[in-house]
Amino acid sequence: MELLQQLRQLQLIRPLDLQFGRFIHDEELLDNPDSDSCEQLSLLAALVSLQLGRGEVCLPLNDYGTLTENWPGALQGRAEKLLVGMSESRLLTFSVISEGRDETPLVYSNGRLYLYRYWYYETQVAGRIRTLTAPVESDNVAIQAGLKRLFNAPGAGETDWQQVAVAVALSRRFSVISGGPGTGKTTTVARLLCLYAELFSARKGCAPLIRLAAPTGKAAARLSESLGSAQQGLAITDAVRAMIPDQAVTLHRLLGPRPDSKNFRHNRENPLHLDLLVVDEASMIDLPMIFRLLDALPAHAQLVMIGDRDQLASVEAGSVLGDICAWQQQESSGELCYSPAQLDYLQQVCGLPGPPSAPGSNPVADALALLRKSYRFDEHSGIGRLARAVNRGDGEQAARLFTENWRDIDFYPLSENGYQQMVADVAKGYSTYLKLMHEGEAPGRLLQAFNQIQLLAVVRQGVYGVEGLNLAIEEKLQRQKLISVTGAWYSGRPVMITRNDYQLGLYNGDIGITVADSDGKLRVWFELPDGSMKGVLPGRLPEHETVYAMTVHKSQGSEFEKVVMILPAEESPLLTRELIYTGITRAKAMFVLHATTDALIKGSLRRTERASGLSWRLWQSAGTYEY
């Protein structure tokens, strides 16, 4: 344990990692008192725990060097000496490690070391998805007629990828529709729901039970609002329209949280009551959540996941959407290769001229659809071009775009004067909602005005981090007499919830504005998924933080008219292509970047790669999984 103590003193591992390493060390000694390898085992255990804290599902044993590369030379050398030669046969001699057949604390599988629970999640999710991607019976004639009625005919030589996505979703009990900002994901879902309701009611003689969900309250509210707008003008009957739900809920609320427990009311023994579940912002879903969602899905039901595969992965462990969308059957052009049977079906119902079929194609590929055309960001959009350049990893092209006089993007090099100007500009943007507050506007209107601008940061600490930026903007607004900060709470303070509170109905990511009542008592007002407003006394709020600035991670599932993003000057492993892309695509009308050109270029080159075996299990493994 001496090595782990040294690592903890240098804050290279967490207290939890140290304690888990000690636990595994002691467990092994109980079973094998003569073991001479407990130091190796305790280090491995601590690293597996550390990986989980970093959002990684497992520890790839051929890549542990990335965890130790920044350690002091002596400790790095000692760790490498301990871990070298840790073969599969050697690992499986330990009583605390198995291949999963026994419920041991650690599991070794395909070159990766897992905590048992996360190995179980991963194998169960892979097995469930493989089962659900088998084709279902469908009325191809009715689907073809419905698609023609709900969609405009594409232009000559064009493919309507929204039609393809709806057709794919109707052919499988599990499907994924992925697309960037403005590609019409909501429009696609609206038509999917209508056609599904028509087909279901014609087949069953009753209305289907359809539920809509998203990972956060903000994302659920956006889904409810956008779907309501997308249904306007569709050629459907009032009876069909009545079958479509108008409200989305959070995944936690859908599954039914139990107080003081990580478990939910709905599970395999008590499945959800629904026929179709549509989940938006799927990139935010972590491995434990997708396991619980699939576990609670009724045997007959269909699940459609909507999201942008290029966005940041979930905050917690796993990169589920990215792993599912690891298109292994893919041509150099980026076209999906469907199986011959699926291609025949798509050609029949929506006239898909391609892509080429792939004999023996993985069934998961037949459940995937990619929306390619952006209706929000056209060739005249700097935001669209910038997002595409970053997504390609072309940071140099992204930097050049800022010099081409696009109206909707702007760039400022990092400097002291530039920093102060940024604070002043953001404070000016927030002054709109504060002036409305002083005029007595309703809380709902204040939240709308607040969302017109948002400052995004990569890190939490430091002058370029969320904490420093929130303080700087607060001081600026105080000097302008737009707020009066006399304590922790004041009228106008914006806050973000950081921990779910099921009793209050407030969830991680929800944003509220503090407003004084007529009697001077402060309440924090939040917009609920159904559009209603909820006022809560500050003392009753769950964990929260001021949110003039937020991290890019926290901005997922939200959109703002204007986004200002600042990248740190120093090198940071957090600065990745997916993070920059996510920040850019939060902007609807204007994006402003404060950074060094070097940070933009290097960040665009660095990809987020999370250790996980889910992609391998879905796309390469020929194994079968019990569920």
Side-chain angles (χ1 to χ4, degrees), residues 35 179 189 203 205 238 273 280-282 310 327 330 340 347 399 404 419 447 539 541 555 580 604:
S35 175
V189 170
R203 186 174 69 253
D238 291 340
H273 304 294
D280 197 15
E281 296 293 347
D310 297 315
W327 325 111
Q330 181 177 2
Q347 288 173 337
E404 295 178 0
Y419 181 87
L447 275 170
L541 287 183
S555 73
I580 299 173
S604 298

Side-chain angles (χ1 to χ4, degrees), residues 243-321:
M243 299 178 196
I244 311 301
D246 56 5
Q247 296 298 324
V249 298
T250 64
L251 290 174
H252 284 82
R253 186 175 295 175
L254 174 77
L255 292 171
R258 288 178 171 172
D260 303 318
S261 172
K262 290 184 177 181
N263 296 319
F264 294 92
R265 287 189 295 106
H266 291 291
N267 49 41
R268 196 181 314 184
E269 284 71 39
N270 179 31
L272 294 162
H273 304 294
L274 53 82
D275 299 301
L276 172 65
L277 173 61
V278 175
V279 179
D280 197 15
E281 296 293 347
S283 63
M284 301 171 68
I285 301 177
D286 56 47
L287 182 63
M289 177 54 78
I290 192 63
F291 165 78
R292 293 184 171 95
L293 196 61
L294 291 170
D295 194 50
L297 193 70
H300 71 282
Q302 289 180 248
L303 169 62
V304 181
M305 294 175 60
I306 315 295
D308 185 347
R309 62 176 183 172
D310 297 315
Q311 279 192 29
L312 280 166
S314 58
V315 175
E316 302 300 330
S319 55
V320 173
L321 185 64

Side-chain angles (χ1 to χ4, degrees), residues 49-222:
S49 175
L50 178 63
Q51 282 282 85
L52 194 60
R54 291 155 47 107
E56 318 277 354
V57 173
C58 56
L59 174 67
L61 292 181
N62 62 353
D63 194 33
Y64 59 80
T66 58
L67 276 176
T68 65
E69 60 185 359
N70 294 321
W71 292 6
L75 291 179
Q76 185 181 29
R78 185 174 174 186
E80 290 178 355
K81 185 177 179 181
L82 284 171
L83 297 177
V84 70
M86 271 302 215
S87 63
E88 174 181 352
S89 58
R90 180 73 186 94
L91 283 168
L92 294 176
T93 62
F94 294 115
S95 64
V96 292
I97 300 178
S98 72
E99 293 179 291
R101 297 185 183 90
D102 302 314
E103 197 167 331
T104 52
L106 296 169
V107 172
Y108 175 81
S109 177
N110 191 46
R112 304 176 180 93
L113 197 60
Y114 298 79
L115 294 180
Y116 179 89
R117 178 187 300 174
Y118 284 83
W119 169 84
Y120 180 77
Y121 288 159
E122 186 177 278
T123 54
Q124 294 296 296
V125 167
R128 186 67 163 150
I129 289 176
R130 278 177 171 264
T131 299
L132 293 173
T133 51
V136 297
E137 291 185 13
S138 59
D139 185 341
N140 293 359
V141 174
I143 291 174
Q144 180 185 29
L147 290 174
K148 284 185 176 180
R149 179 167 39 81
L150 292 169
F151 289 91
N152 296 323
E158 291 186 358
T159 298
D160 188 339
W161 294 109
Q162 295 183 7
Q163 282 197 54
V164 174
V166 172
V168 166
L170 292 171
S171 72
R172 298 294 187 273
R173 286 177 51 217
F174 175 88
S175 58
V176 172
I177 299 175
S178 178
T183 52
K185 293 189 290 292
T186 304
T187 301
T188 304
V189 170
R191 285 156 174 77
L192 167 64
L193 295 178
C194 295
L195 187 49
Y196 175 86
E198 290 178 357
L199 296 170
F200 185 98
S201 59
R203 186 174 69 253
K204 301 281 190 178
C206 61
L209 295 174
I210 301 173
R211 300 294 302 274
L212 308 173
T216 67
K218 184 73 173 177
R222 277 191 55 224

